[in-house]
Amino acid sequence: MVYFEVLSQEFDFGKFKGCDLGEVLMCSPDYVKWVIENVDGSICAFSDEVIEQIHSVFPNFSITEDLMSIIKVRQFEHEEKVYHDECAEEMFDIEQTDVYDEEDTYDKYNGSYAQDEMGYSDDDIDTIFDGDPSAYWNID
């Protein structure tokens, strides 16, 4: 996914992958128009700043009203994708914290051989030994 904010940003897709926007505008401006018209905003979008740079550096590259309206739609699609990606990351982080970062406790069976010598947590003793820390000897 590429969000062009400056002319020096490179394409990460298509036949000009690895070339920056300025280079492509010089050698194949029709390709840039094709990208604007046909490539989804979640894959490629153009910021207002890069549009201004295009106007100043490439005055012969005409951006019609129709093309500009497509650019605005692509910007919206890009912003939506970024928003949804951020929401998904937040949800993943919350799940990771809730599920995987839970600390073991050692208060309930503190002083028992199973916990102090064998290292079993309160949850382990509840699960493995059915809450009876003296049943540690029954583990093979």
Side-chain angles (χ1 to χ4, degrees):
M1 190 294 166
V2 63
Y3 182 65
F4 289 105
E5 295 183 82
V6 292
L7 291 174
S8 60
Q9 279 184 261
E10 295 180 350
F11 281 87
D12 64 358
F13 65 91
K15 68 180 184 178
F16 289 103
K17 183 176 183 176
C19 296
D20 69 44
L21 179 58
E23 292 171 340
V24 176
L25 280 164
M26 281 190 282
C27 69
S28 185
D30 290 338
Y31 180 76
V32 175
K33 285 184 182 180
W34 180 88
V35 166
I36 291 170
E37 293 172 344
N38 296 292
V39 177
D40 186 288
S42 63
I43 298 170
C44 178
F46 298 82
S47 70
D48 290 333
E49 292 80 15
V50 82
I51 296 302
E52 289 176 22
Q53 289 176 5
I54 291 170
H55 278 300
S56 65
V57 177
F58 300 97
N60 293 335
F61 184 81
S62 65
I63 299 177
T64 63
E65 285 184 34
D66 290 340
L67 210 53
M68 196 61 192
S69 64
I70 293 170
I71 289 169
K72 292 297 181 187
V73 168
R74 299 294 186 246
Q75 285 174 345
F76 177 77
E77 291 171 349
H78 166 73
E79 290 167 6
E80 284 292 301
K81 182 181 182 328
V82 168
Y83 173 77
H84 289 292
D85 289 351
E86 288 172 355
C87 289
E89 285 176 18
E90 281 182 26
M91 286 177 56
F92 182 73
D93 287 345
I94 289 169
E95 288 177 17
Q96 289 288 40
T97 301
D98 291 348
V99 176
Y100 299 107
D101 291 341
E102 191 172 302
E103 297 267 337
D104 288 334
T105 59
Y106 294 89
D107 298 327
K108 189 174 179 183
Y109 300 106
N110 193 10
S112 68
Y113 182 83
Q115 192 165 82
D116 292 348
E117 297 298 320
M118 302 298 290
Y120 291 109
S121 70
D122 291 338
D123 290 335
D124 291 340
I125 293 170
D126 285 338
T127 303
I128 300 169
F129 308 122
D130 292 326
D132 182 7
S134 63
Y136 70 88
W137 55 268
N138 201 17
I139 299 292
D140 289 332

